[in-house]
Amino acid sequence: MGRPRKELDVVRTFHAPRVLTLEQLCRKMDASRSTVLRRLEEHGYHSSYNQAGRFFTIDEVAQFDARTLVLEGG
């Protein structure tokens, strides 16, 4: 039997701001990088093309314009 799964509200974490770095996610969710990445995978996530994929968002909160850029204001 494995360790109990830690409850994390990934969607709520992204409501303000909707784009976060992995380090910010780890702090907000009080979880390791591996755990955060597993939870992002469960929700369908996007990482930035520039900045070496430094920024993350999830499908539930992402909004895109015609160029597929995440819109931070809308």
Side-chain angles (χ1 to χ4, degrees):
M1 182 172 181
R3 292 187 344 205
R5 182 180 170 106
K6 184 176 182 179
E7 290 299 321
L8 299 174
D9 191 351
V10 176
V11 176
R12 189 173 178 180
T13 303
F14 276 100
H15 276 290
R18 292 184 294 183
V19 178
L20 296 163
T21 65
L22 188 55
E23 291 75 24
Q24 290 170 322
L25 287 165
C26 290
R27 278 195 312 270
K28 282 184 162 222
M29 295 196 288
D30 190 30
S32 70
R33 293 171 63 93
S34 299
T35 298
V36 169
L37 289 171
R38 276 195 306 272
R39 298 302 169 83
L40 288 175
E41 185 69 35
E42 293 171 1
H43 286 271
Y45 73 93
H46 304 275
S47 61
S48 59
Y49 179 76
N50 57 358
Q51 300 292 320
R54 180 177 174 204
F55 299 99
F56 293 85
T57 192
I58 56 173
D59 288 338
E60 288 96 333
V61 300
Q63 293 182 353
F64 299 94
D65 67 7
R67 296 182 192 165
T68 67
L69 301 172
V70 175
L71 299 174
E72 190 58 30

